[in-house]
Amino acid sequence: MISSKTLSAALARIASHTEAASEELCSADGALGDGDLGITVSKGFAEAAATDLPEDIGMALLAIAKAFQRVSSSSYGTLLATGFMAAAKMEKGKTKIDPAGIPGLVAAARDAMMARGKGHLGDKTVLDSLDAVANALDHAPLEEMINVAIAAAAETAEQYRGKPNKLGRARMFGERSIGLLDPGQLAFLRIVEALRA
Amino acid sequence: MKKILNNPADYVDEMLEGMVAAHPGTYAQPVRRVIARAAGAKKGKVGIVTGGGSGHLPIFTGYVGTGLLDACAIGDVFASPSAEQMAEAIRLADGGAGVLRLYGNYGGDVMNFDMAGEMAEMEHDIRTTTVLLTDDVVSAPKEEAEKRRGVAGMVYAFKIAGAAAERGDDLDEVTRIAQITADACRSIGMALTPCTIPQAGKPTFEIGETEMEMGMGIHGEPGIWRDAIKPADEIAEEMLERLMADQPLAKGDRISILVNSLGATPAEELYILYRHARKKLDALGVEIVMPLVGRYATSMEMTGATITVIKLDEELESLLKAPAECAFWRV
């Protein structure tokens, strides 16, 4: 079971892992966008990790969404905040997240982020990573969940490397984006990796 | 850049501080960059909030007042406020009867306001609804009217929805009336010179000394044509024609019209535009109710004007004429 405390500890791990990956993410983003994704992501998780989370796990997830909004108004930050918000709504009033519900939470985050970002699966964005993770987790045994999620996120990033970006600023690069890792998918991989204690 | 300021980074905060200090009976700033009515939310009344970038006074914050808005979240010049500020505005506007989010259709604002609505609902159990202004006819074709940007039509929406809320209508009714108002507004702009965002320090666009641009957006978004400046009557004629091509007007129709300065254009020139518009509408047999001529929705020191036409029915007309008061406008 995941409590607000577990969540805080995970946020701290993600904050330090994405901080370490910040340069890598900024340079991946610099090839297709404005080159600040590493900062957006690491700052967002640092702020979330520094936030005192309430015991109600729904309200804790809301506090994380707000932390993201506070420090990063970029579209990636807003999308991650949207994902946390979708999960927050489903968990409001509980003090623990049942791991069996995680695939459903990831899927809800994916759907809310698709609606808000007006994105589609196959556009080569973080949405593809979330979709792959949600589907992979659906059949995963509880103790294998983190490894399964990491593998799905890594496969997605590699699989889309050979495809063009179809959304946002990266779309302008068209065919030239083929061969490049999508920075948003790469960032998601680094986030999920950090969950492995 | 030639501007009266201290530090560009303090531009918005010092402006808000001054505005509240000048009109303490009207405005309060309970949370940074959120302006609310000085008297606070009215119990039992539907709240109306808006939000957007600074640089457009009296839009957005200026219209907080009796018979108008309850609260407003304000961002940097031409930049969206954060979702958290918007959520605070919603909280401050709530009198227990729900809150309408009424604002212009800009990508960043929509994302943040949707998020803010979810936050307010989760944290404070406030029911919210949304109505977007999409009155700039140049910003997308009629078939994609939902993609249009919101401009000076907001003034009518704030006024009419504000009056409905003030007389005690419930949230669904205020929302319905706001939507009818938004649907009845059409606007078009034209520009002569750009403005400068303090933190950017450069003009938002470049334009020749003798040129004008028809249809230009309030942030310098591209318009329909750019050419040598024309006489005022021809400018007014074309603007009205373009509005009427989108929303036809016929004998007996009742409308209100707003001839608005983008900031630097003086009232004198607005009246020259209005003169021709009036003649043209008179000739068509269209009745003008409560014409508005002045600085209602600006873009800093941009030179240029916008014209907004709203087609009225009896209900909208009576709400438009209902009393309202803020520091910039009194009905």
Side-chain angles (χ1 to χ4, degrees):
Chain A
M1 299 294 263
I2 300 163
S3 67
S4 287
K5 268 214 181 89
T6 337
L7 214 50
S8 267
L11 288 168
R13 287 206 303 279
I14 299 173
S16 82
H17 192 63
T18 50
E19 164 82 48
S22 178
E23 218 164 290
E24 174 199 23
L25 296 176
C26 284
S27 100
D29 187 37
L32 291 168
D34 45 14
D36 61 358
L37 185 67
I39 298 164
T40 297
V41 173
S42 60
K43 255 176 76 181
F45 279 104
E47 177 78 11
T51 305
D52 215 359
L53 298 183
E55 218 183 302
D56 181 320
I57 201 87
M59 297 315 260
L61 289 161
L62 172 73
I64 296 170
K66 288 176 83 168
F68 257 91
Q69 277 284 306
R70 218 163 28 238
V71 294
S72 86
S73 52
S74 79
S75 52
Y76 198 80
T78 303
L79 278 181
L80 287 187
T82 300
F84 280 116
M85 196 73 182
K89 281 195 213 165
M90 292 176 69
E91 297 299 307
K92 191 181 174 184
K94 301 178 196 164
T95 53
K96 298 238 160 51
I97 297 174
D98 179 354
I102 288 177
L105 293 178
V106 178
R110 172 199 63 201
D111 294 344
M113 289 161 73
M114 279 175 71
R116 182 143 300 149
K118 307 210 173 12
H120 302 280
L121 294 178
D123 284 349
K124 190 174 175 180
T125 67
V126 67
L127 297 171
D128 298 310
S129 309
L130 277 156
D131 185 56
V133 169
N135 292 335
L137 287 181
D138 232 356
H139 318 285
L142 291 185
E143 63 283 3
E144 277 303 310
M145 274 182 139
I146 290 173
N147 288 329
V148 166
I150 294 171
E155 272 165 36
T156 307
E158 272 312 320
Q159 183 199 336
Y160 277 90
R161 188 199 279 271
K163 299 180 183 181
N165 281 88
K166 292 188 193 160
L167 193 73
R169 202 181 312 207
R171 183 173 59 95
M172 316 284 187
F173 289 79
E175 302 290 304
R176 279 181 291 155
S177 61
I178 294 176
L180 298 175
L181 284 173
D182 176 66
Q185 295 182 345
L186 180 62
F188 191 75
L189 171 62
R190 297 289 173 255
I191 292 166
V192 184
E193 276 171 358
L195 294 174
R196 191 163 41 195
Chain B
M1 176 173 63
K2 214 169 173 185
K3 275 183 186 293
I4 301 170
L5 49 73
N6 295 306
N7 182 342
D10 299 327
Y11 192 83
V12 171
D13 293 304
E14 292 184 353
M15 172 275 289
L16 292 174
E17 192 184 330
M19 198 176 108
V20 172
H23 311 287
T26 308
Y27 308 119
Q29 185 176 204
V31 177
R32 182 171 174 254
R33 301 228 179 156
V34 181
I35 297 293
R37 290 190 193 183
K42 204 162 143 188
K43 219 173 154 42
K45 186 185 93 69
V46 168
I48 303 181
V49 296
T50 195
S54 292
H56 302 298
L57 277 177
I59 291 267
F60 298 84
T61 35
Y63 293 107
V64 169
T66 317
L68 296 162
L69 304 169
D70 294 273
C72 171
I74 196 82
D76 277 327
V77 174
F78 297 175
S80 180
S82 72
E84 208 169 5
Q85 284 162 335
M86 289 167 166
E88 285 294 300
I90 293 170
R91 180 180 65 80
L92 289 163
D94 181 47
V99 175
L100 166 65
R101 294 171 280 168
L102 181 58
Y103 58 102
N105 187 31
Y106 292 89
D109 291 337
V110 173
M111 251 193 194
N112 286 338
F113 245 132
D114 283 351
M115 191 87 130
E118 290 179 15
M119 288 177 181
E121 195 167 329
M122 260 198 85
E123 278 183 298
H124 307 290
D125 272 323
I126 301 171
R127 200 184 142 218
T128 63
T129 55
T130 298
V131 172
L132 293 176
L133 268 293
T134 53
D135 51 315
D136 186 342
V137 297
V138 174
S139 54
K142 200 177 168 73
E143 307 75 58
E144 295 175 300
E146 76 286 349
K147 290 188 182 166
R148 287 176 174 170
R149 299 181 294 257
V151 284
M154 256 179 268
V155 175
Y156 286 114
F158 295 164
K159 175 67 194 71
I160 292 170
E166 207 72 54
R167 76 177 175 189
D169 288 4
D170 67 19
L171 182 60
D172 290 332
E173 184 62 5
V174 173
T175 305
R176 182 187 70 82
I177 288 169
Q179 189 63 58
I180 294 174
T181 307
D183 293 342
C185 286
R186 298 289 185 284
S187 299
I188 186 168
M190 56 80 59
L192 301 177
T193 66
C195 61
T196 296
I197 300 173
Q199 279 184 286
K202 309 192 288 267
T204 46
F205 58 90
E206 282 173 27
I207 186 164
E209 191 60 34
T210 57
E211 285 181 321
M212 65 168 277
E213 181 156 332
M214 175 59 72
M216 187 172 246
I218 56 170
H219 307 101
E221 296 95 337
I224 307 163
W225 57 260
R226 180 182 285 201
D227 208 341
I229 185 164
K230 293 185 176 177
D233 287 0
E234 281 177 42
I235 294 172
E237 178 74 22
E238 179 171 347
M239 290 172 92
L240 272 182
E241 282 295 338
R242 290 191 182 274
L243 294 180
M244 284 161 46
D246 207 85
Q247 176 177 247
L249 297 177
K251 190 173 165 55
D253 281 343
R254 294 173 74 77
I255 65 155
S256 180
I257 180 169
L258 164 58
V259 179
N260 169 59
S261 167
L262 283 173
T265 291
E268 282 84 349
E269 291 164 35
L270 300 178
Y271 283 121
I272 297 174
L273 287 174
Y274 180 74
R275 169 187 163 273
H276 182 81
R278 176 65 194 260
K279 277 189 188 167
K280 186 175 170 66
L281 293 163
D282 279 354
L284 283 169
V286 173
E287 183 88 16
I288 300 180
V289 177
M290 213 174 107
L292 304 174
V293 180
R295 231 179 234 114
Y296 287 82
T298 65
S299 277
M300 316 275 292
E301 73 282 14
M302 204 160 143
T303 316
T306 66
I307 296 182
T308 302
V309 165
I310 177 173
K311 221 167 162 173
L312 300 168
D313 60 17
E314 255 173 61
E315 182 178 42
L316 296 192
E317 185 175 333
S318 77
L319 290 166
L320 177 62
K321 289 175 174 167
E325 191 174 354
C326 67
F328 296 82
W329 191 26
R330 188 179 188 160
V331 178

